[in-house]
């Protein structure tokens, strides 16, 4: 009975954890080492075993061969993109090809801390803060990915709303720009940019007033 109790799986709810504990757990989920101390003595390093967890970077400890690409190994003028979203080698290769020869796309755990861009699916503000701390010079770009051909599906709240029937998504902006963008969309001058899937009606990410075509 005691042996079974020792092996029982314990569950933690991130939403109920104290801020410092939650930050440490999210850093561990992102693939970083978390050292456990007691009375000033180091007890060991906590490890994370990945599972399906929406809104978080799903990644385990780096494999022995997963060492960061040295900065000197990247030629001058190349933009280094680190992907926090879990992608296959084929998917990263396709993304790199689509971006062009002046880009190199690397897994988050292999990218140097000097990476120029971090590409991630929607995550919590705390995890986003961890990504920014780990790559201080990078611009963090949040995107939802749905590529059936390459087997990548990382939807977020916007994608789910569009799939549920919303016609368009408008990012936060002042009311004046909201009115201008909604008018542009309803009159057909806003080009479709986001779609909710082949069976749904076209949707769009509405432009700001500065994006409106000149009359």
């Amino acid at each position: 009975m005691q042996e079974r109790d020792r092996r029982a799986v314990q569950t933690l709810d991130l939403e109920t954890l104290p801020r410092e504990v939650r930050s440490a757990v999210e850093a561990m989920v992102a693939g970083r080492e978390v050292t456990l101390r007691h009375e000033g003595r180091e007890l060991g390093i906590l490890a994370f075993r990945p599972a399906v967890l929406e809104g978080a970077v799903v990644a385990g400890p780096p494999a022995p061969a997963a060492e960061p690409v040295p900065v000197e190994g990247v030629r001058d003028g190349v933009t280094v993109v680190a992907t926090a979203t879990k992608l296959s080698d084929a998917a990263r290769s396709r993304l790199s090809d689509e971006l062009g020869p002046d880009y190199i796309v690397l897994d988050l755990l292999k990218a140097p801390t000097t990476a120029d861009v971090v590409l991630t699916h929607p995550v919590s503000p705390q995890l986003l803060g961890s990504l920014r701390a780990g790559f201080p010079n990078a611009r963090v770009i949040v995107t939802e990915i749905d590529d059936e051909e390459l087997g990548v599906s990382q939807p977020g709240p916007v994608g789910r709303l569009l799939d549920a029937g919303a016609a368009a998504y408008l990012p936060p902006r002042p009311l004046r720009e909201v009115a201008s963008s909604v008018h542009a969309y309803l009159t057909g001058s806003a080009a479709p940019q986001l779609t909710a899937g082949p069976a749904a009606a076209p949707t769009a990410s509405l432009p700001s007033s500065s994006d409106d075509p000149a009359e």
Side-chain angles (χ1 to χ4, degrees):
M1 180 67 178
Q2 291 180 348
E3 178 68 17
R4 181 165 48 189
D5 290 341
R6 282 199 297 268
R7 294 187 178 185
V9 176
Q10 301 295 317
T11 300
L12 293 178
D13 186 344
L14 286 178
E15 299 299 327
T16 63
L17 294 177
R19 181 179 299 177
E20 291 184 359
V21 177
R22 178 173 175 174
S23 178
V25 172
E26 288 179 332
M28 188 168 54
V29 172
R32 303 189 182 284
E33 291 185 348
V34 175
T35 301
L36 185 63
R37 296 179 181 275
H38 178 65
E39 296 181 349
R41 185 165 59 93
E42 184 174 318
L43 299 180
I45 296 175
L46 298 178
F48 173 72
R49 185 173 63 188
V52 177
L53 180 61
E54 183 180 336
V57 176
V58 181
E67 298 181 355
V69 173
V71 178
E72 57 269 20
V74 180
R75 63 181 175 83
D76 292 341
V78 171
T79 298
V80 178
V81 179
T83 57
T85 299
K86 189 174 183 179
L87 298 176
S88 65
D89 291 342
R92 273 193 304 274
S93 178
R94 173 70 63 83
L95 179 59
S96 183
D97 290 343
E98 295 293 339
L99 287 171
D102 292 331
Y103 292 82
I104 180 173
V105 179
L106 302 171
D107 181 83
L108 183 76
L109 299 179
K110 294 183 180 181
T113 58
T114 55
D116 304 292
V117 177
V118 172
L119 193 66
T120 180
H121 56 282
V123 295
S124 69
Q126 292 83 0
L127 190 50
L128 187 62
S130 296
L131 292 174
R132 294 186 63 188
F135 298 89
N137 299 321
R139 287 174 289 179
V140 179
I141 299 176
V142 180
T143 181
E144 300 179 22
I145 303 177
D146 188 9
D147 192 309
E148 184 176 354
E149 177 187 352
L150 292 170
V152 182
S153 181
Q154 291 288 352
V158 174
R160 288 193 294 270
L161 289 172
L162 294 173
D163 287 340
Y169 171 71
L170 179 63
R173 57 191 53 171
L175 278 174
R176 178 181 60 83
E177 294 188 24
V178 168
S180 175
S181 297
V182 170
H183 175 75
Y185 172 69
L186 294 177
T187 57
S189 57
Q193 295 178 2
L194 296 177
T195 59
T203 57
S205 176
L206 305 186
S208 66
S209 56
S210 60
D211 295 331
D212 294 343
E215 297 182 357

